[in-house]
Amino acid sequence: MDKKANRQRNIGKYFCVNELENQIIEKRMQEANLTNFGDFVRKSCLDKKIYTVDFSSLKEIMSTIAQANLEVNRIGNNLNQIAKHLNESEQNKTKELLNEYQNEIQSLDQKLRNMLKKITEG
């Protein structure tokens, strides 16, 4: 009589590992207090949920933010050129307005950087 015919688990699953992977498996088996590899594999595979993450939308958001950041930098450069010109022509009221605009651009830039940081950190 065939031994496998009477087994509750009669489907074999086999795979190969390298030396480092084998050491990791052995260490985890010791940590789990398991000596039977089959029990360890079943417990590892059946008791844990596998999560998959779709990063495509996140990449699109990050690309949009990076583009916006580039535009903010360009605006800042333009403002600096205007400020230099106005400083040379000594128009005081315009300097104040320009400083306000520059502060708003810097604030927007910082908000974009914070948003990007939050997204990348999770």
Side-chain angles (χ1 to χ4, degrees):
M1 186 175 209
D2 187 15
K3 281 184 169 181
K4 287 190 176 188
N6 292 332
R7 287 185 175 189
Q8 181 181 2
R9 296 181 181 103
N10 59 359
I11 300 171
K13 298 287 183 182
Y14 306 97
F15 65 98
C16 297
V17 294
N18 64 28
E19 186 61 37
L20 177 63
E21 292 167 335
N22 188 51
Q23 289 173 0
I24 293 169
I25 290 170
E26 303 250 343
K27 181 181 177 193
R28 290 187 182 165
M29 283 178 63
Q30 287 176 353
E31 291 171 353
N33 258 351
L34 294 172
T35 56
N36 184 303
F37 180 70
D39 290 341
F40 173 75
V41 171
R42 272 189 296 281
K43 198 163 193 49
S44 296
C45 292
L46 299 175
D47 293 348
K48 294 184 180 177
K49 176 108 173 114
I50 304 294
Y51 297 96
T52 57
V53 180
D54 179 18
F55 287 109
S56 61
S57 60
L58 179 64
K59 288 179 183 176
E60 185 178 324
I61 291 169
M62 288 178 63
S63 174
T64 302
I65 290 172
Q67 184 65 32
N69 192 33
L70 189 78
E71 292 297 322
V72 166
N73 288 338
R74 287 181 182 155
I75 292 168
N77 288 340
N78 290 341
L79 286 173
N80 286 336
Q81 290 174 2
I82 293 168
K84 181 180 177 186
H85 177 73
L86 292 175
N87 284 336
E88 291 170 355
S89 65
E90 299 180 11
Q91 293 177 356
N92 292 334
K93 188 175 180 181
T94 311
K95 288 181 190 178
E96 292 171 12
L97 289 173
L98 188 58
N99 285 335
E100 287 179 31
Y101 287 131
Q102 197 164 20
N103 290 337
E104 289 179 30
I105 294 295
Q106 287 173 349
S107 174
L108 178 60
D109 182 51
Q110 189 59 43
K111 287 177 185 175
L112 285 171
R113 289 177 192 274
N114 289 341
M115 186 187 312
L116 186 58
K117 185 178 179 182
K118 285 180 185 178
I119 288 172
T120 56
E121 289 177 354

